[in-house]
């Protein structure tokens, strides 16, 4: 229980202020969006730490009750709102973030550039081959792509992305998972059977440019997937995995990518600094000065 108490507490805290924002209109839209992402991150962390969905549902009920008991004009509400706004100001100024998971990490990059580059990427190895997978763009979030380097120089004629079909399933498939932290569960055991997946064929194939290859790689193959695949990926449970399948005339090769905080990283790419609050809520958002007696 203690192992996941802190992630659950963070989830409860963020959910409570999000509920208060929904009721009291505390924040500008971009801050509310970032707060929702923070709630999703906290939920994913709690799940990976071993918290059950039932525990998180109970935390949500507790957060709603806590928010309902607190008046919008209460001093403690102003203090909490002020902390969130201060945190968002720092968050909006960041240009790079890493979102670690159990096996892989998503690296997000908002540094301006004139050419294509990885904006959100996770690297993986499958056998002797290597894969970079994520969002590519000139500025922020762009196309969902896979860039693979094959040690034997093999040339795939296509690629397919396999994700759990959320319209035909109740939740993630975590094979032989009996609760507790998921760190020891291999990615291959986090994907559903073929009957419960949805596939997206790559809509374009080309030689990979050096801007998308690691410094030590001289060549590779780049595949672009439909925009709907990125939206689908963002809806999945952070504990599960997806499959990138490369198609050859003599068979296939499979690579696994951890879903993790893909949705949070994708949202980070579109973060903009918050506008100054206006109107009658401005006073409510201003936290009182700290007590001089402490």
């Amino acid at each position: 229980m203690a192992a996941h108490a802190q992630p659950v507490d963070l989830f409860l805290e963020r959910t409570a202020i999000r509920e208060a924002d929904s009721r009291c209109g505390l924040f500008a839209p971009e801050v509310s969006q970032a707060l929702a992402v923070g709630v999703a991150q906290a939920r994913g962390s709690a799940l990976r730490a071993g918290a059950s969905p039932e525990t998180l549902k109970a935390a949500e009920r507790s957060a709603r009750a806590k928010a309902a008991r607190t008046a919008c004009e209460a001093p403690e509400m102003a203090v909490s709102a002020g902390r969130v706004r201060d945190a968002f100001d720092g968050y909006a100024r960041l240009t790079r973030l890493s979102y670690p998971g159990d096996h892989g990490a998503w690296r997000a990059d908002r540094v301006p550039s004139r050419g294509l580059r990885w904006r959100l990427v996770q690297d993986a190895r499958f056998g002797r081959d290597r894969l970079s997978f994520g969002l590519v763009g000139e500025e922020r979030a762009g196309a969902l792509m896979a860039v693979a380097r094959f040690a034997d120089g093999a040339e795939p004629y296509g690629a397919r992305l396999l994700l759990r079909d959320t319209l035909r399933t109740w939740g993630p498939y975590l094979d032989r998972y009996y609760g507790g932290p998921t760190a020891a569960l291999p990615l291959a055991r986090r994907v559903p059977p073929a009957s419960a997946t949805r596939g997206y064929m790559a809509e374009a194939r080309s030689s990979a440019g050096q801007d998308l290859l690691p410094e030590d790689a001289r060549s590779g193959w780049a595949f672009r997937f439909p925009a709907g695949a990125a939206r689908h990926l963002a809806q999945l449970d952070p504990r599960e995995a997806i499959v990138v399948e490369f198609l050859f005339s003599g068979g296939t090769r499979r690579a696994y990518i951890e879903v993790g905080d893909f949705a949070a990283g994708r949202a980070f790419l579109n973060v903009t600094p918050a506008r100054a609050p206006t109107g009658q809520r401005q006073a409510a958002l201003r936290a009182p000065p700290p007590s001089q007696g402490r």
Side-chain angles (χ1 to χ4, degrees):
M1 180 69 72
H4 62 252
Q6 185 175 352
V8 172
D9 290 344
L10 180 61
F11 173 72
L12 191 154
E13 177 184 339
R14 291 181 177 178
T15 301
I17 193 65
R18 183 190 63 180
E19 293 292 329
D21 176 40
S22 178
R23 184 166 62 89
C24 303
L26 298 175
F27 306 117
E30 55 268 30
V31 181
S32 298
Q33 181 185 23
L35 182 59
V37 172
V39 171
Q41 273 187 273
R43 183 178 186 276
S45 296
L47 287 170
R48 288 193 293 267
S52 68
E54 291 73 21
T55 296
L56 298 186
K57 288 179 181 177
E60 283 183 310
R61 291 193 294 269
S62 177
R64 285 194 293 268
K66 179 181 178 180
R69 290 194 303 267
T70 307
C72 294
E73 295 77 15
E76 56 265 38
M77 186 74 80
V79 170
S80 296
R83 288 173 179 167
V84 170
R85 292 175 59 241
D86 289 344
F88 177 81
D89 286 343
Y91 175 76
R93 289 181 174 85
L94 294 173
T95 55
R96 292 189 175 97
L97 270 179
S98 179
Y99 297 85
D102 287 334
H103 293 272
W106 290 103
R107 302 190 312 277
D109 185 345
R110 298 197 298 141
V111 175
S113 69
R114 294 183 179 180
L116 289 175
R117 64 188 298 170
W118 288 109
R119 293 304 176 183
L120 183 65
V121 63
Q122 183 177 145
D123 297 320
R125 289 183 177 273
F126 53 117
R128 298 171 55 216
D129 304 327
R130 299 165 62 187
L131 170 68
S132 294
F133 178 84
L135 298 173
V136 172
E138 291 187 355
E139 294 185 1
R140 297 186 182 178
L144 185 66
M145 295 188 66
V147 173
R149 287 83 70 195
F150 300 99
D152 59 357
E155 297 184 8
Y157 66 82
R160 178 168 50 216
L161 184 61
L162 301 175
L163 299 85
R164 177 172 60 86
D165 190 334
T166 56
L167 298 179
R168 300 168 61 189
T169 58
W170 288 103
Y173 283 73
L174 303 174
D175 182 38
R176 298 181 187 176
Y177 169 68
Y178 305 107
T182 55
L185 189 65
L187 294 184
R189 286 165 48 188
R190 301 179 185 219
V191 298
S195 60
T197 61
R198 178 177 176 183
Y200 294 86
M201 290 297 299
E203 57 187 12
R205 183 196 79 149
S206 66
S207 297
Q210 287 298 321
D211 45 0
L212 300 182
L213 289 168
E215 292 182 359
D216 61 344
R218 296 182 178 180
S219 64
W221 291 96
F223 296 88
R224 187 183 73 238
F225 295 98
R231 294 192 293 268
H232 187 162
L233 177 54
Q235 297 171 4
L236 297 180
D237 187 291
R239 296 172 294 176
E240 60 188 307
I242 63 173
V243 178
V244 184
E245 197 170 58
F246 296 98
L247 312 178
F248 299 86
S249 57
T252 62
R253 300 184 191 182
R254 299 184 121 206
Y256 297 92
I257 292 290
E258 184 176 357
V259 172
D261 290 323
F262 173 82
R266 184 171 175 239
F268 169 74
L269 298 179
N270 297 309
V271 167
T272 55
R275 299 185 300 270
T278 57
Q280 61 180 359
R281 293 297 179 196
Q282 188 166 6
L285 293 177
R286 189 179 301 116
S291 171
Q292 299 299 316
R294 295 183 181 177

